[in-house]
């Protein structure tokens, strides 16, 4: 059983070294685990909540996409896409909005922080609060529940949102699951082992402190940023204290234990800060130099990036589209055609365009349905390990012909057996006479397919 890991990256801003060490690098390493099925996406709908500058949104999406690919994310292995390319996500957001308690969302940190700030300033509590900000956790719940993620790696500030996704998913399961788990309930994972890098001034590296080191600037920009790292005023030759130097902490984020020990010794024996900065530059340049070239090559070919992301969206939608269809059904948004009708429905003519449709379940198994010409479901097959086997079985049913089939009636449904094995079942009917009418429509459908 694989674990589905999903995380979103809000597309405001340009990734810096702290994002790389804290999120990008560990996520890419995790995506290489053969047990992992990774879904990583650009949360560009979320970006619209915080940013109303279209150029910045566009730039940031491109830069972040290029960064993840340049750092080694394999889009064949992971599913890498833009949130805004998956129309099922806003649609699911609405289904979830209708079950999410307003009281639950009142407690969301980001919203509460805005309200508190307004109150402090003597303003209306909701001044400047959009419905986007207020509903932010529901959109995030849709991101997560859409793909039935088991694990959601996030920063501490996002744990509450993942818990809200659990709450909302649980409520939906309870209301509409009819005893089945429609949604997997996700768990937040906080990567304890990963480095939280200090910025130039020693506080946590963060855009809001303006103390970041750019990830893929030129070598020159990297050098300039490193030159601005604050150190104490010990002169060359004076011993430096590695444990009180954030320059050393930064170095540790990228060095092997042997390199770390050597650097520590050098500092203790009086290495000049200028030299120490040169060592850090060399280390970072070795780790990032090739990725930087890949990054610039990708950014210069935006249409290649577009292709990669659209392929990722198509892959994600192979899961999202049928699942959303199931969710719509579960809340009552169903085709009128699938409504059970009385036996007198003028079905004879309708059976002309009966057809098999095959699909893949969330657990990876394949199934087919036999639909009557009007879309009514006549049969649903058992699970097959691969689509070929499912196709071959449906082919056999047609070849055997309606009369040779082993149809077995149960109380309010019937089953189709082939070679002594249960192959497919009808839906449940209201009573035995409807069941028999359904069987008759199945024979008609098969006759039309054989013709
Ligand atoms: N809100 C997250 C952040 O700001 C980004 C995000 C959006 C996300 N959707 C998600 C993270 C789904 C994990 C899962 O960091």
């Amino acid at each position: 059983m694989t674990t589905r890991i999903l995380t979103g990256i809000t597309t405001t801003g340009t990734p810096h070294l702290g994002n790389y060490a804290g999120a990008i690098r560990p996520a890419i390493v995790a995506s290489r685990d053969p047990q992992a099925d990774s879904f990583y996406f650009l949360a560009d709908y979320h970006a619209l909540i915080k940013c109303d500058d279209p150029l910045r949104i566009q730039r940031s999406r491109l830069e972040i996409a290029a960064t993840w690919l340049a750092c080694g994310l394999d889009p064949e292995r992971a599913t890498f896409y833009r949130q805004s390319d998956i129309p099922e996500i806003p649609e699911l957001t609405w289904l979830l909005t209708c079950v999410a308690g307003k009281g639950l969302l009142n407690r969301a940190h980001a919203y509460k922080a805005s309200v508190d700030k307004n109150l402090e300033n003597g303003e209306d509590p909701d001044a400047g609060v959009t419905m986007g900000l207020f509903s932010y956790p529901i959109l995030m719940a849709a991101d997560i529940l859409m793909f039935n993620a088991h694990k959601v790696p996030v920063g501490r500030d996002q744990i509450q949102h993942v818990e809200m996704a659990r709450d909302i998913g649980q409520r939906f399961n309870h209301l509409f699951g009819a005893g089945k788990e429609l949604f997997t309930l996700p768990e937040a994972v906080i990567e304890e082992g990963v480095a939280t890098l200090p910025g130039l001034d020693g506080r946590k590296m963060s855009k809001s402190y303006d103390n970041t080191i750019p990830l893929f600037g030129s070598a020159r920009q990297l050098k300039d940023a490193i030159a601005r790292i604050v150190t104490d005023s010990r002169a060359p030759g004076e011993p430096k204290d590695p444990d009180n130097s954030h320059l050393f902490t930064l170095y540790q984020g990228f060095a092997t234990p042997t390199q770390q020990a050597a650097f520590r010794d050098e500092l203790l024996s009086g290495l000049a800060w200028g030299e120490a900065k040169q060592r850090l530059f060399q280390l970072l340049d070795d780790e990032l130099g090739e990725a930087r070239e890949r990054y610039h090559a990708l950014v210069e070919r935006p249409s290649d990036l577009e292709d990669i992301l659209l392929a990722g969206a198509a892959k994600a939608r192979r899961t999202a589209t049928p699942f959303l269809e199931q969710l719509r059904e579960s809340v009552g948004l169903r085709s009128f055609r699938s409504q059970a009708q009385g036996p007198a429905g003028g079905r004879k003519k309708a059976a002309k365009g009966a057809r098999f449709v095959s699909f893949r379940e969330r657990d990876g198994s394949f199934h087919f349905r036999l639909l009557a010409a009007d879309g009514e479901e006549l049969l649903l097959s058992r699970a097959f390990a691969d689509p070929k086997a499912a196709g071959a079985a449906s082919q056999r049913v047609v070849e055997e012909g309606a009369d040779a089939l082993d149809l077995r009636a149960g109380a309010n449904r019937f089953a189709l057996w082939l070679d002594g094995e249960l192959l497919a079942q009808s839906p449940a009917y209201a009573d035995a006479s409807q069941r028999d009418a359904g069987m008759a429509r199945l024979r008609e459908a098969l006759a039309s397919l054989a013709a």
Side-chain angles (χ1 to χ4, degrees):
M1 194 38 200
T2 56
T3 303
R4 188 165 285 178
I5 304 173
L6 175 144
T7 196
I9 312 107
T10 306
T11 53
T12 44
T14 303
H16 55 67
L17 204 59
N19 302 135
Y20 172 76
I24 302 170
R25 187 173 57 181
I28 291 174
V29 171
S31 75
R32 294 183 179 140
D33 180 341
Q35 295 302 311
D37 179 19
S38 310
F39 279 60
Y40 297 152
F41 67 95
L42 309 184
D44 47 3
Y45 280 141
H46 277 106
L48 297 181
I49 295 169
K50 307 182 196 167
C51 173
D52 58 9
D53 175 354
L55 281 177
R56 234 181 99 202
I57 296 278
Q58 175 64 343
R59 250 197 97 67
S60 171
R61 293 158 92 227
L62 183 78
E63 288 174 351
I64 293 178
T67 299
W68 281 71
L69 294 170
C71 290
L73 181 69
D74 176 358
E76 298 291 325
R77 176 185 272 274
T79 306
F80 186 52
Y81 55 98
R82 288 175 293 214
Q83 184 186 33
S84 63
D85 285 332
I86 315 289
E88 288 81 3
I89 288 176
E91 199 169 341
L92 176 57
T93 300
W94 184 252
L95 301 188
L96 299 178
T97 300
C98 294
V99 305
K102 176 165 182 291
L104 178 75
L105 292 156
N106 284 340
R107 292 193 285 280
H109 298 316
Y111 169 67
K112 259 186 20 194
S114 297
V115 170
D116 290 348
K117 204 159 134 217
N118 282 333
L119 291 175
E120 241 169 67
N121 298 336
E123 301 231 37
D124 181 275
D126 283 330
V129 175
T130 63
M131 284 307 294
L133 176 65
F134 186 69
S135 306
Y136 177 114
I138 311 182
L139 177 58
M140 185 159 155
D143 291 332
I144 297 170
L145 298 173
M146 181 89 263
F147 298 104
N148 285 299
H150 302 101
K151 303 230 177 262
V152 183
V154 283
R156 295 195 177 280
D157 60 322
Q158 298 292 321
I159 297 176
Q160 188 198 31
H161 294 149
V162 180
E163 281 169 2
M164 288 183 167
R166 272 184 86 86
D167 278 8
I168 297 170
Q170 202 157 27
R171 191 166 155 74
F172 196 97
N173 282 347
H174 174 71
L175 288 170
F176 303 114
K180 270 198 315 181
E181 292 277 283
L182 284 165
F183 291 126
T184 302
L185 301 181
E187 238 173 83
V189 279
I190 305 296
E191 301 253 7
E192 299 290 354
V194 310
T196 308
L197 292 190
L200 301 176
D201 56 0
R203 293 183 292 173
K204 179 185 172 191
M205 189 180 294
S206 161
K207 198 173 50 162
S208 41
Y209 294 146
D210 194 21
N211 64 358
T212 62
I213 297 177
L215 181 56
F216 291 138
S218 61
R220 178 82 253 156
Q221 284 169 317
L222 181 59
K223 207 168 236 161
D224 289 349
I226 290 172
R228 287 187 287 123
I229 294 175
V230 179
T231 59
D232 64 28
S233 53
R234 279 169 224 228
E238 262 188 90
K240 317 288 187 298
D241 178 4
D243 298 314
N244 277 308
S245 155
H246 55 273
L247 190 149
F248 185 68
T249 313
L250 274 166
Y251 190 91
Q252 280 179 309
F254 299 89
T256 64
T258 319
Q259 288 172 313
Q260 292 178 32
F263 193 45
R264 172 181 287 277
D265 285 346
E266 284 192 299
L267 288 170
L268 288 169
S269 34
L271 184 75
W273 284 126
E275 289 289 318
K277 287 181 172 178
Q278 180 53 35
R279 299 272 199 288
L280 176 61
F281 170 77
Q282 206 48 60
L283 183 74
L284 290 178
D285 202 52
D286 289 347
E287 167 141 350
L288 298 171
E290 282 176 24
R292 182 198 297 137
E293 291 191 5
R294 284 196 295 272
Y295 173 84
H296 289 289
L298 283 162
V299 167
E300 276 159 32
R301 306 180 65 106
S303 69
D304 290 359
L305 278 172
E306 183 72 24
D307 289 342
I308 293 171
L309 289 166
L310 288 179
K315 189 161 141 197
R317 292 189 73 197
R318 285 202 280 279
T319 304
T321 310
F323 187 37
L324 186 73
E325 189 49 42
Q326 188 189 348
L327 297 169
R328 289 172 55 98
E329 295 242 341
S330 74
V331 300
L333 303 175
R334 302 172 189 151
S335 161
F336 289 160
R337 291 207 178 88
S338 59
Q339 213 117 46
Q341 282 171 25
R347 301 267 178 185
K348 275 223 161 63
K349 226 167 84 207
K352 277 226 168 77
R355 62 207 178 271
F356 286 99
V357 290
S358 49
F359 64 95
R360 185 164 182 253
E361 259 296 1
R362 269 183 289 153
D363 63 13
S365 63
F366 292 84
H367 304 253
F368 62 80
R369 286 193 172 91
L370 174 59
L371 302 180
D374 62 3
E376 182 202 9
E377 178 177 322
L378 298 169
L379 285 175
L380 171 63
S381 79
R382 67 171 173 85
F384 291 89
D386 65 85
K388 269 209 185 117
S394 59
Q395 194 54 43
R396 278 278 312 278
V397 173
V398 177
E399 284 164 2
E400 295 284 332
D403 294 326
L405 288 175
D406 182 359
L407 281 182
R408 304 186 188 176
N412 63 346
R413 64 169 80 215
F414 57 89
L416 170 58
W417 289 66
L418 191 66
D419 303 330
E421 258 191 74
L422 176 73
L423 177 63
Q425 290 208 45
S426 76
Y429 294 96
D431 55 40
S433 76
Q434 299 247 350
R435 176 204 64 202
D436 292 341
M439 248 195 235
R441 291 197 294 277
L442 171 69
R443 291 181 196 284
E444 276 177 24
L446 290 173
S448 76
L449 284 168

